[in-house]
Amino acid sequence: MYNLAIFPGDGIGPEVVREGLKVLDTVASINSITFKTTSLPWSSQYYLDTGKLMTEDDIQSLRQYDAIYFGALGDPRMPPGLVERSMILNMRFGLDLYVNLRPIVLYSEHLCPLKDKKPEDIDFVVVRENTEDAYAGMGGFFKKGTPDEVAISEMIFTRKGVERIIRYAFDTARARNKKRKLTLVDKANALPAQDLWRRTFAEVAKEYPDITTDMAFVDATTMWFVKNPEWFDVIVTTNLFGDIITDLGAMLQGGLGIAASGNIHPGQVSMFEPIHGSAPKYAGQNVANPLAAIGAVAMMLEFLGENQAGAQVTEAIRRLLVSRRIPSLDAACGLTTTEIGDMVVAELRA
Ligand code: IPM
Ligand code: MG
């Protein structure tokens, strides 16, 4: 029996999470998996109503769950970054979710904005470090609001943090057993501190003689994503660069409507979410595409060791897209959020 925490959050979050849970219910009953859900209230609306944000105790209390399923956060009425930092980022830091796993998979050729790229050309995974870098919040302001103001955001990398994510990425390349290739993406030519990544990568690589290694600078990587996405198998990169390149990666798959992610600490409670945000302009209209949130359910099942159930969800999504019964991934695809969830449910039962 899995104990799951559910965070619907803001905007379209509750709508897409509702569909994800519908799919989870179905695939769980097909595979005789039992689970219990607890819905958690924190969101921008909750803050506006009660003045409450998540505390460190609230975050630590999440350790009682096996996994966390998260919708989206962000509300135009809130100061920028307040809920994002207090929830998403504090969960990543407070639960030490050091892996941000972001698969970039093209399910059907017609969804890809690149000319002549096929599903076999776009099938890789970005392993984004998730607890360090400029996200650590080191820095601050001096003489704020004056003409002499100084603002500092420092990129922090620790040997331990860099080594564990590189090791996870090598293990991922081995487990995928596809091209067995790992690419380190950094900017070591301009940022001397990232030499730590280069040295650690070279050292850990010696333990994985079966994995081919490669390095690319992040600016060039954006070019290769568009020109030769078929070169990639597994990418390991820093927190900030991983954030940026995975939005581009999502577009290669057809858009944010399909891109899912896992915030993982192997063996401990981990959090699964669509990469997209709360899309306030679509909130409450039942038009947002829930496939990214449904894909996050598949990733959560795989994390829990329910690989067959996870693969069934992914296959149902693939079949619906390839057959164009779900014609596109945007809010204007002609199907409602509910209808898409129902179609995945029906496809699982079929
Ligand atoms: C993501 C998001 C977050 C990030 C924001 C909401 C803080 O863009 O998960 O990619 O920058 O990590
Ligand atoms: Mg992002």
Side-chain angles (χ1 to χ4, degrees), residues 108-133:
S108 178
E109 191 177 341
H110 77 280
L111 300 172
C112 186
L114 303 180
K115 191 155 56 76
D116 300 331
K117 295 297 176 189
K118 301 189 166 39
E120 58 269 29
D121 298 321
I122 299 174
D123 179 6
F124 59 95
V125 36
V126 177
V127 175
R128 166 186 173 189
E129 202 289 323
N130 213 25
T131 54
E132 303 192 335
D133 201 348

mmCIF file of all heavy atoms in Angstrom, residues 108-133:
data_model
loop_
_atom_site.group_PDB
_atom_site.id
_atom_site.type_symbol
_atom_site.label_atom_id
_atom_site.label_comp_id
_atom_site.label_asym_id
_atom_site.label_seq_id
_atom_site.Cartn_x
_atom_site.Cartn_y
_atom_site.Cartn_z
ATOM 1 N N SER A 108 5.422 10.978 -31.171
ATOM 2 C CA SER A 108 4.899 10.875 -32.532
ATOM 3 C C SER A 108 5.496 12.004 -33.368
ATOM 4 O O SER A 108 5.570 13.152 -32.917
ATOM 5 C CB SER A 108 3.377 10.985 -32.485
ATOM 6 O OG SER A 108 2.869 10.922 -33.792
ATOM 7 N N GLU A 109 5.904 11.647 -34.586
ATOM 8 C CA GLU A 109 6.641 12.581 -35.439
ATOM 9 C C GLU A 109 5.905 13.915 -35.629
ATOM 10 O O GLU A 109 6.519 14.974 -35.646
ATOM 11 C CB GLU A 109 6.861 11.906 -36.795
ATOM 12 C CG GLU A 109 7.819 12.653 -37.680
ATOM 13 C CD GLU A 109 8.073 11.920 -38.989
ATOM 14 O OE1 GLU A 109 7.810 10.697 -39.071
ATOM 15 O OE2 GLU A 109 8.537 12.581 -39.924
ATOM 16 N N HIS A 110 4.570 13.858 -35.758
ATOM 17 C CA HIS A 110 3.846 15.089 -36.091
ATOM 18 C C HIS A 110 3.874 16.128 -34.977
ATOM 19 O O HIS A 110 3.547 17.283 -35.193
ATOM 20 C CB HIS A 110 2.397 14.760 -36.497
ATOM 21 C CG HIS A 110 1.487 14.441 -35.353
ATOM 22 N ND1 HIS A 110 1.450 13.212 -34.742
ATOM 23 C CD2 HIS A 110 0.592 15.204 -34.689
ATOM 24 C CE1 HIS A 110 0.560 13.228 -33.763
ATOM 25 N NE2 HIS A 110 0.025 14.430 -33.707
ATOM 26 N N LEU A 111 4.292 15.714 -33.769
ATOM 27 C CA LEU A 111 4.324 16.665 -32.655
ATOM 28 C C LEU A 111 5.613 17.485 -32.634
ATOM 29 O O LEU A 111 5.716 18.492 -31.947
ATOM 30 C CB LEU A 111 4.217 15.916 -31.321
ATOM 31 C CG LEU A 111 2.948 15.090 -31.116
ATOM 32 C CD1 LEU A 111 3.065 14.262 -29.858
ATOM 33 C CD2 LEU A 111 1.730 16.008 -31.059
ATOM 34 N N CYS A 112 6.621 17.048 -33.389
ATOM 35 C CA CYS A 112 7.958 17.647 -33.284
ATOM 36 C C CYS A 112 8.070 18.888 -34.167
ATOM 37 O O CYS A 112 7.727 18.846 -35.344
ATOM 38 C CB CYS A 112 9.006 16.621 -33.688
ATOM 39 S SG CYS A 112 10.679 17.215 -33.410
ATOM 40 N N PRO A 113 8.555 19.997 -33.612
ATOM 41 C CA PRO A 113 8.698 21.193 -34.435
ATOM 42 C C PRO A 113 9.914 21.130 -35.369
ATOM 43 O O PRO A 113 10.062 21.986 -36.243
ATOM 44 C CB PRO A 113 8.865 22.321 -33.402
ATOM 45 C CG PRO A 113 9.459 21.655 -32.209
ATOM 46 C CD PRO A 113 8.930 20.242 -32.208
ATOM 47 N N LEU A 114 10.772 20.131 -35.202
ATOM 48 C CA LEU A 114 11.952 20.036 -36.060
ATOM 49 C C LEU A 114 11.612 19.247 -37.321
ATOM 50 O O LEU A 114 10.884 18.257 -37.263
ATOM 51 C CB LEU A 114 13.097 19.323 -35.332
ATOM 52 C CG LEU A 114 13.553 19.913 -34.003
ATOM 53 C CD1 LEU A 114 14.694 19.070 -33.432
ATOM 54 C CD2 LEU A 114 13.995 21.357 -34.184
ATOM 55 N N LYS A 115 12.196 19.696 -38.417
ATOM 56 C CA LYS A 115 11.963 19.045 -39.699
ATOM 57 C C LYS A 115 12.632 17.665 -39.725
ATOM 58 O O LYS A 115 13.764 17.522 -39.295
ATOM 59 C CB LYS A 115 12.559 19.944 -40.796
ATOM 60 C CG LYS A 115 12.204 19.582 -42.210
ATOM 61 C CD LYS A 115 12.280 20.794 -43.159
ATOM 62 C CE LYS A 115 13.608 21.500 -43.168
ATOM 63 N NZ LYS A 115 14.708 20.869 -43.873
ATOM 64 N N ASP A 116 11.910 16.672 -40.189
ATOM 65 C CA ASP A 116 12.454 15.329 -40.437
ATOM 66 C C ASP A 116 12.977 14.590 -39.211
ATOM 67 O O ASP A 116 13.797 13.685 -39.346
ATOM 68 C CB ASP A 116 13.595 15.373 -41.481
ATOM 69 C CG ASP A 116 13.124 15.926 -42.812
ATOM 70 O OD1 ASP A 116 11.925 15.758 -43.129
ATOM 71 O OD2 ASP A 116 13.949 16.544 -43.525
ATOM 72 N N LYS A 117 12.552 14.976 -38.002
ATOM 73 C CA LYS A 117 12.993 14.217 -36.829
ATOM 74 C C LYS A 117 11.897 13.247 -36.407
ATOM 75 O O LYS A 117 10.715 13.609 -36.375
ATOM 76 C CB LYS A 117 13.364 15.147 -35.667
ATOM 77 C CG LYS A 117 14.569 16.029 -35.969
ATOM 78 C CD LYS A 117 15.852 15.228 -36.196
ATOM 79 C CE LYS A 117 16.990 16.172 -36.580
ATOM 80 N NZ LYS A 117 18.203 15.449 -37.019
ATOM 81 N N LYS A 118 12.315 12.024 -36.126
ATOM 82 C CA LYS A 118 11.378 10.955 -35.824
ATOM 83 C C LYS A 118 11.539 10.512 -34.366
ATOM 84 O O LYS A 118 12.531 10.864 -33.725
ATOM 85 C CB LYS A 118 11.664 9.772 -36.753
ATOM 86 C CG LYS A 118 11.541 10.143 -38.215
ATOM 87 C CD LYS A 118 11.606 8.956 -39.120
ATOM 88 C CE LYS A 118 11.144 9.313 -40.524
ATOM 89 N NZ LYS A 118 11.579 10.644 -41.017
ATOM 90 N N PRO A 119 10.571 9.730 -33.856
ATOM 91 C CA PRO A 119 10.682 9.280 -32.467
ATOM 92 C C PRO A 119 12.047 8.666 -32.141
ATOM 93 O O PRO A 119 12.570 8.880 -31.052
ATOM 94 C CB PRO A 119 9.542 8.273 -32.337
ATOM 95 C CG PRO A 119 8.498 8.810 -33.274
ATOM 96 C CD PRO A 119 9.273 9.345 -34.451
ATOM 97 N N GLU A 120 12.641 7.937 -33.095
ATOM 98 C CA GLU A 120 13.940 7.330 -32.761
ATOM 99 C C GLU A 120 15.058 8.362 -32.641
ATOM 100 O O GLU A 120 16.117 8.082 -32.096
ATOM 101 C CB GLU A 120 14.323 6.217 -33.763
ATOM 102 C CG GLU A 120 14.407 6.635 -35.214
ATOM 103 C CD GLU A 120 13.077 6.464 -35.981
ATOM 104 O OE1 GLU A 120 12.000 6.553 -35.336
ATOM 105 O OE2 GLU A 120 13.129 6.256 -37.204
ATOM 106 N N ASP A 121 14.816 9.594 -33.129
ATOM 107 C CA ASP A 121 15.841 10.643 -33.039
ATOM 108 C C ASP A 121 15.775 11.422 -31.727
ATOM 109 O O ASP A 121 16.734 12.100 -31.356
ATOM 110 C CB ASP A 121 15.673 11.653 -34.185
ATOM 111 C CG ASP A 121 15.848 11.004 -35.540
ATOM 112 O OD1 ASP A 121 16.745 10.139 -35.662
ATOM 113 O OD2 ASP A 121 15.090 11.347 -36.470
ATOM 114 N N ILE A 122 14.629 11.395 -31.088
ATOM 115 C CA ILE A 122 14.470 12.198 -29.865
ATOM 116 C C ILE A 122 14.042 11.289 -28.735
ATOM 117 O O ILE A 122 12.863 10.991 -28.542
ATOM 118 C CB ILE A 122 13.486 13.365 -30.101
ATOM 119 C CG1 ILE A 122 14.058 14.267 -31.198
ATOM 120 C CG2 ILE A 122 13.252 14.144 -28.796
ATOM 121 C CD1 ILE A 122 13.144 15.385 -31.637
ATOM 122 N N ASP A 123 15.028 10.793 -28.028
ATOM 123 C CA ASP A 123 14.794 9.846 -26.938
ATOM 124 C C ASP A 123 16.003 9.923 -26.015
ATOM 125 O O ASP A 123 16.954 9.169 -26.151
ATOM 126 C CB ASP A 123 14.619 8.429 -27.511
ATOM 127 C CG ASP A 123 14.393 7.407 -26.406
ATOM 128 O OD1 ASP A 123 14.262 7.810 -25.226
ATOM 129 O OD2 ASP A 123 14.372 6.204 -26.722
ATOM 130 N N PHE A 124 15.978 10.927 -25.130
ATOM 131 C CA PHE A 124 17.090 11.046 -24.193
ATOM 132 C C PHE A 124 16.578 11.550 -22.849
ATOM 133 O O PHE A 124 15.392 11.829 -22.698
ATOM 134 C CB PHE A 124 18.210 11.933 -24.754
ATOM 135 C CG PHE A 124 17.852 13.356 -25.112
ATOM 136 C CD1 PHE A 124 18.066 14.388 -24.200
ATOM 137 C CD2 PHE A 124 17.344 13.681 -26.365
ATOM 138 C CE1 PHE A 124 17.782 15.715 -24.528
ATOM 139 C CE2 PHE A 124 17.041 14.996 -26.692
ATOM 140 C CZ PHE A 124 17.256 16.013 -25.784
ATOM 141 N N VAL A 125 17.466 11.560 -21.877
ATOM 142 C CA VAL A 125 17.029 12.013 -20.560
ATOM 143 C C VAL A 125 18.044 12.991 -19.982
ATOM 144 O O VAL A 125 19.251 12.781 -20.096
ATOM 145 C CB VAL A 125 16.697 10.821 -19.617
ATOM 146 C CG1 VAL A 125 17.581 9.657 -19.813
ATOM 147 C CG2 VAL A 125 16.681 11.239 -18.166
ATOM 148 N N VAL A 126 17.517 14.080 -19.452
ATOM 149 C CA VAL A 126 18.373 15.064 -18.782
ATOM 150 C C VAL A 126 18.339 14.770 -17.280
ATOM 151 O O VAL A 126 17.271 14.715 -16.677
ATOM 152 C CB VAL A 126 17.900 16.504 -19.064
ATOM 153 C CG1 VAL A 126 18.763 17.506 -18.291
ATOM 154 C CG2 VAL A 126 17.948 16.798 -20.563
ATOM 155 N N VAL A 127 19.523 14.581 -16.718
ATOM 156 C CA VAL A 127 19.682 14.415 -15.269
ATOM 157 C C VAL A 127 20.207 15.750 -14.750
ATOM 158 O O VAL A 127 21.369 16.094 -14.945
ATOM 159 C CB VAL A 127 20.659 13.257 -14.957
ATOM 160 C CG1 VAL A 127 20.914 13.168 -13.453
ATOM 161 C CG2 VAL A 127 20.132 11.934 -15.500
ATOM 162 N N ARG A 128 19.291 16.505 -14.160
ATOM 163 C CA ARG A 128 19.613 17.863 -13.699
ATOM 164 C C ARG A 128 19.928 17.834 -12.204
ATOM 165 O O ARG A 128 19.114 17.334 -11.422
ATOM 166 C CB ARG A 128 18.394 18.756 -13.983
ATOM 167 C CG ARG A 128 18.404 20.089 -13.293
ATOM 168 C CD ARG A 128 17.077 20.847 -13.524
ATOM 169 N NE ARG A 128 17.049 22.046 -12.712
ATOM 170 C CZ ARG A 128 15.980 22.827 -12.541
ATOM 171 N NH1 ARG A 128 14.843 22.528 -13.150
ATOM 172 N NH2 ARG A 128 16.050 23.888 -11.774
ATOM 173 N N GLU A 129 21.068 18.371 -11.815
ATOM 174 C CA GLU A 129 21.372 18.493 -10.373
ATOM 175 C C GLU A 129 20.308 19.402 -9.787
ATOM 176 O O GLU A 129 19.886 20.371 -10.410
ATOM 177 C CB GLU A 129 22.788 19.056 -10.186
ATOM 178 C CG GLU A 129 23.402 18.748 -8.825
ATOM 179 C CD GLU A 129 22.774 19.504 -7.664
ATOM 180 O OE1 GLU A 129 22.419 20.684 -7.848
ATOM 181 O OE2 GLU A 129 22.637 18.915 -6.577
ATOM 182 N N ASN A 130 19.849 19.126 -8.559
ATOM 183 C CA ASN A 130 18.621 19.768 -8.099
ATOM 184 C C ASN A 130 18.742 20.439 -6.731
ATOM 185 O O ASN A 130 17.731 20.860 -6.179
ATOM 186 C CB ASN A 130 17.513 18.690 -8.038
ATOM 187 C CG ASN A 130 16.131 19.209 -8.358
ATOM 188 O OD1 ASN A 130 15.979 20.207 -9.053
ATOM 189 N ND2 ASN A 130 15.120 18.527 -7.853
ATOM 190 N N THR A 131 19.956 20.517 -6.182
ATOM 191 C CA THR A 131 20.066 21.058 -4.810
ATOM 192 C C THR A 131 21.157 22.112 -4.646
ATOM 193 O O THR A 131 21.376 22.582 -3.523
ATOM 194 C CB THR A 131 20.372 19.919 -3.798
ATOM 195 O OG1 THR A 131 21.540 19.221 -4.243
ATOM 196 C CG2 THR A 131 19.215 18.951 -3.670
ATOM 197 N N GLU A 132 21.877 22.459 -5.722
ATOM 198 C CA GLU A 132 23.002 23.384 -5.548
ATOM 199 C C GLU A 132 22.922 24.513 -6.581
ATOM 200 O O GLU A 132 21.849 24.933 -6.960
ATOM 201 C CB GLU A 132 24.327 22.610 -5.686
ATOM 202 C CG GLU A 132 24.441 21.450 -4.705
ATOM 203 C CD GLU A 132 25.839 20.866 -4.638
ATOM 204 O OE1 GLU A 132 26.608 20.995 -5.617
ATOM 205 O OE2 GLU A 132 26.179 20.282 -3.582
ATOM 206 N N ASP A 133 24.089 25.008 -6.982
ATOM 207 C CA ASP A 133 24.190 26.015 -8.049
ATOM 208 C C ASP A 133 23.617 27.361 -7.574
ATOM 209 O O ASP A 133 23.497 27.611 -6.366
ATOM 210 C CB ASP A 133 23.460 25.481 -9.296
ATOM 211 C CG ASP A 133 23.894 26.152 -10.599
ATOM 212 O OD1 ASP A 133 24.585 27.178 -10.551
ATOM 213 O OD2 ASP A 133 23.535 25.634 -11.674
#
